[in-house]
Amino acid sequence: MLLFVVAAALAVSGIRPYDRLTWILEVLPLVIFVPILIGTARRFPFTPLTYRLMCAHAIILVIGGHYTYEHVPIGEWFRQAFHLQRNNYDRLGHFAQGFVPAIIAREVLLRRSPLRRGGWLFFLVTTVCLAFSASFELFEAAAAMTFGAGADAYLATQGDPWDTQWDMFLALVGAISAQLLLQRVQDRQMEKL
């Protein structure tokens, strides 16, 4: 069911997106990772929680890809309602970029490594998420160098000189939040696998 939801959202988001290049760059992770998840599902099934969070993250990506993060309507509504200077939908995306990979990394490390619950697991999951976020920022920089002004909508800095730092900080907050909020739920689901 979740795969159908993601496929439908992806298809709809591809209909007349605001900027085709931005759409391609935003949905590229789905095009890469969904087939990997399908191919490995029998050998390494994730918990239902993890799959649901992956689906939610995918929806955030396709919405951001369709409108570009600067023009997502709900972010624009929040900007106007709370008198913000920018559309902060991309902040949600970067929070999710820490939150969801934290749950994925935690599950993989607990199930496939000798690590146990505790400080080292928390530290390594957090660093994995920060590395993932930094890699994404480097990908954005490469897109900017490759496409020049054509990548402006993809970067979604909206004139904020601290955008990259905010992106990394929100990924960190997402990674820590996921571990503090969902570890018990995830642990119970892993016991059933």
Side-chain angles (χ1 to χ4, degrees):
M1 183 64 172
L2 295 175
L3 183 58
F4 174 76
V5 169
V6 170
L10 180 61
V12 170
S13 76
I15 300 170
R16 293 190 308 274
Y18 185 86
D19 180 81
R20 180 64 63 184
L21 176 61
T22 298
W23 180 81
I24 291 168
L25 293 171
E26 291 295 349
V27 302
L28 187 60
L30 296 177
V31 174
I32 294 169
F33 290 112
V34 167
I36 293 170
L37 286 170
I38 292 169
T40 60
R42 289 189 193 273
R43 287 177 304 194
F44 192 87
F46 283 98
T47 59
L49 170 67
T50 303
Y51 281 127
R52 289 180 187 121
L53 289 170
M54 286 183 209
C55 179
H57 194 200
I59 300 300
I60 291 169
L61 288 174
V62 298
I63 290 170
H66 179 77
Y67 291 103
T68 76
Y69 283 89
E70 184 177 358
H71 299 289
V72 172
I74 188 124
E76 189 58 26
W77 180 86
F78 272 96
R79 186 186 71 75
Q80 291 173 5
F82 296 103
H83 308 290
L84 304 171
Q85 293 187 3
R86 67 192 306 276
N87 183 324
N88 283 313
Y89 185 81
D90 73 315
R91 304 290 195 225
L92 171 66
H94 286 282
F95 177 84
Q97 190 181 66
F99 195 94
V100 177
I103 295 299
I104 296 167
R106 186 175 185 280
E107 186 167 334
V108 170
L109 288 171
L110 281 173
R111 291 174 56 194
R112 295 288 194 217
S113 80
L115 278 172
R116 290 181 282 175
R117 290 155 186 84
W120 278 110
L121 178 66
F122 192 92
F123 173 76
L124 290 174
V125 166
T126 303
T127 57
V128 164
C129 293
L130 286 175
F132 181 74
S133 183
S135 298
F136 188 81
E137 295 302 322
L138 292 171
F139 182 78
E140 282 185 347
M145 289 185 277
T146 302
F147 300 112
D152 286 350
Y154 176 62
L155 296 177
T157 60
Q158 300 178 61
D160 182 357
W162 300 101
D163 185 68
T164 299
Q165 291 79 6
W166 272 110
D167 293 349
M168 294 286 295
F169 174 71
L170 287 165
L172 172 64
V173 170
I176 292 170
S177 299
Q179 293 179 86
L180 294 175
L181 294 172
L182 299 178
Q183 60 189 356
R184 288 189 185 129
V185 174
Q186 186 179 36
D187 290 348
R188 276 181 282 186
Q189 289 184 357
M190 279 191 288
E191 289 171 7
K192 295 176 184 177
L193 291 177

